[in-house]
Amino acid sequence: KVDNLADVISIIGVDKAEDGFALLGVAEVENQDVLDVLCKHPKLAKRKLRSVIFDGPDNRSIDCGLLYNPKYFRVLEAKSLTVPVDSNESPTRDVLYVVGKLNGELVHVFVNHWPSRRGGESATRPKRKRAAAVSKHVIDSLMQIDPNTKVVVMGDLNDDPINESVTKVLGTEWKIDNLKKGGLFNPWTGFYKKGLGTMAYQDTWGLFDQIILSYGFVKAPSTNLKFKHAEVFNRNFMIEKEGQYKGYPKRAYSNGNWNNGYSDHYPTIIYLSK
């Protein structure tokens, strides 16, 4: 599995950025050790990647992490933000909050894995709205101080760009002309409206894997890091060619058996220009 993950991770973004990614948010990570094994893989070792992860409260020990290239990003502070749950609910994944300097610019990064839709989308909707509010609470405080603050909200949100957790709680805009100071821009809404996605369920594409940027990356006139474009990273070798999941992302495991794939989700990328 590490070999296969490294096959994908090592080529993400390299056609436009020689060293590949500066930041990579990851989900469903068991512990620090597995990230260390991944970073030391021969296809990635020369980048000297580092990682941030905390042991969260999820009963299955699947946490959010952040891989970063120290050539471009320097961590200043990191913490785990707990998502509140009702008394009858199991604890869910924390939000990983990392503050650092990206090419010298102060950036606030939130890595998320919101509660799943198990039990139905409508019934579980309040859980994802609560999870979204965790990042939004911190973001609102930051924007009160400086509406040009650079914020990245990323992860497997288990919701599409048009769902309320994203549009109402985070308050995203998908048309740049409508984006106001202190607001959040979601480039994935346009992808979703065209029928493009990162994962499929019952032959319907969803776009749960999103990277959302603040006004400071998009419209602030004095920024040294500016949003350029977005991409769903779905190369041909990552697509299932046969069986019940033909045309879907080629998953590592299928029905409990090793499938020699990568993930049941495609990665998404945001490119920034200096």
Side-chain angles (χ1 to χ4, degrees):
K1 184 172 184 179
V2 173
D3 286 341
N4 288 7
L5 288 173
D7 283 345
V8 175
I9 291 171
S10 64
I11 63 171
I12 286 179
V14 295
D15 54 335
K16 296 181 177 67
E18 182 180 358
D19 295 321
F21 66 85
L23 300 171
L24 177 70
V26 291
E28 298 193 8
V29 181
E30 187 176 6
N31 52 44
Q32 181 72 60
D33 290 344
V34 295
L35 291 182
D36 292 344
V37 169
L38 181 61
C39 291
K40 291 174 183 176
H41 188 279
K43 290 190 174 184
L44 297 168
K46 66 179 181 180
R47 301 189 197 179
K48 296 180 170 54
L49 298 172
R50 298 176 185 172
S51 60
V52 183
I53 186 172
F54 293 95
D55 185 20
D58 189 286
N59 293 334
R60 292 174 295 165
S61 187
I62 52 171
D63 298 309
C64 297
L66 183 72
L67 302 184
Y68 64 95
N69 188 331
K71 181 177 178 181
Y72 300 105
F73 187 73
R74 179 167 62 92
V75 173
L76 299 177
E77 180 184 1
K79 61 179 69 172
S80 207
L81 307 178
T82 300
V83 176
V85 295
D86 290 340
S87 58
N88 62 335
E89 296 174 352
S90 298
T92 189
R93 282 78 60 173
D94 281 1
V95 177
L96 176 60
Y97 175 37
V98 181
V99 184
K101 291 286 188 76
L102 179 62
N103 271 31
E105 295 251 350
L106 187 65
V107 175
H108 298 257
V109 182
F110 299 84
V111 186
N112 298 260
H113 184 190
W114 294 352
S116 76
R117 295 185 171 197
R118 188 184 301 274
E121 187 278 325
S122 178
T124 57
R125 189 181 303 159
K127 298 180 181 181
R128 288 184 294 281
K129 294 172 84 169
R130 287 199 301 266
V134 171
S135 297
K136 189 63 163 75
H137 177 74
V138 179
I139 293 167
D140 285 346
S141 298
L142 294 170
M143 294 305 173
Q144 284 185 350
I145 299 169
D146 181 4
N148 292 321
T149 299
K150 290 182 171 60
V151 169
V152 182
V153 180
M154 68 166 90
D156 175 0
L157 307 186
N158 273 305
D159 264 341
D160 290 310
I162 62 167
N163 289 127
E164 290 182 356
S165 58
V166 181
T167 61
K168 301 297 184 185
V169 181
L170 291 181
T172 58
E173 293 284 354
W174 68 285
K175 293 183 178 179
I176 291 179
D177 288 346
N178 295 337
L179 184 63
K180 295 180 172 59
K181 275 191 174 183
L184 297 174
F185 170 65
N186 192 349
W188 307 103
T189 309
F191 285 72
Y192 181 75
K193 288 177 179 289
K194 293 176 183 176
L196 302 175
T198 57
M199 42 71 66
Y201 179 68
Q202 296 182 345
D203 294 334
T204 300
W205 283 96
L207 214 164
F208 290 178
D209 308 274
Q210 299 166 54
I211 307 170
I212 298 165
L213 300 176
S214 65
Y215 175 94
F217 280 113
V218 183
K219 293 179 75 173
S222 61
T223 183
N224 292 320
L225 287 172
K226 189 149 188 152
F227 169 74
K228 193 172 184 182
H229 65 93
E231 175 189 352
V232 176
F233 192 80
N234 54 353
R235 301 300 185 258
N236 183 61
F237 72 92
M238 298 162 61
I239 303 172
E240 185 62 68
K241 301 300 192 298
E242 57 188 21
Q244 72 178 106
Y245 297 119
K246 183 178 179 180
Y248 289 25
K250 185 174 176 62
R251 55 184 65 201
Y253 290 90
S254 182
N255 297 319
N257 299 311
W258 174 245
N259 192 50
N260 199 31
Y262 309 92
S263 173
D264 57 347
H265 292 234
Y266 292 134
T268 48
I269 314 175
I270 291 287
Y271 292 96
L272 303 173
S273 61
K274 293 194 292 183

